[in-house]
Amino acid sequence: MRPAIPSALVCAALILGLTTLTAACSGPAAIPGPFAGEETTIVADNLVFAPSQVTLPPDVPLRIGLVNQDDAIPHSLLVSGPQGQVAQTPVITGISRTEVRFGPLAPGTYQLTCTVHPSMTATLVVQP
């Protein structure tokens, strides 16, 4: 016969497990939920962003995917405008993908820059 496990110990184990599960699901590896807005993808390849200019509409949520095709080279994507930093992806190294969700933005021109390689730039034009 197995000894009885005190109910307080069972509750503590369940709380610890749920806390760990919640933290794991809410961290950077969590899969983002559905997205309702406009999106585009920027590719980092051979230390250049392509395309060099993207156009998205104003007044809606935006998502920019960053695809790193430079093996073993880190890249990120910083979105900045007249008022400063708007959004930023994490730095990703090697063949991988990340994204950043932000906005809505007012019409205008925004700069896309790799924080690791500041000479890597592209332009985001927000217009109707």
Side-chain angles (χ1 to χ4, degrees):
M1 184 161 120
R2 283 193 281 170
I5 299 174
S7 61
L9 184 57
V10 171
C11 287
L14 286 173
I15 290 170
L16 177 61
L18 287 174
T19 302
T20 302
L21 180 60
T22 301
C25 290
S26 63
I31 297 171
F35 179 74
E38 293 290 326
E39 58 188 286
T40 192
T41 299
I42 299 290
V43 176
D45 188 19
N46 202 20
L47 297 174
V48 174
F49 281 145
S52 61
Q53 181 173 312
V54 295
T55 302
L56 293 171
D59 305 320
V60 297
L62 304 174
R63 174 170 62 185
I64 298 179
L66 173 63
V67 176
N68 185 351
Q69 293 185 344
D70 285 330
D71 190 29
I73 298 175
H75 293 298
S76 69
L77 189 69
L78 170 67
V79 182
S80 55
Q83 305 302 320
Q85 181 174 330
V86 174
Q88 183 175 345
T89 68
V91 174
I92 54 173
T93 301
I95 309 301
S96 56
R97 175 180 170 75
T98 190
E99 69 178 43
V100 63
R101 297 178 181 193
F102 57 97
L105 293 179
T109 302
Y110 298 81
Q111 184 75 24
L112 306 175
T113 308
C114 175
T115 60
V116 182
H117 305 100
S119 63
M120 289 179 65
T121 62
T123 304
L124 167 61
V125 177
V126 177
Q127 67 183 22

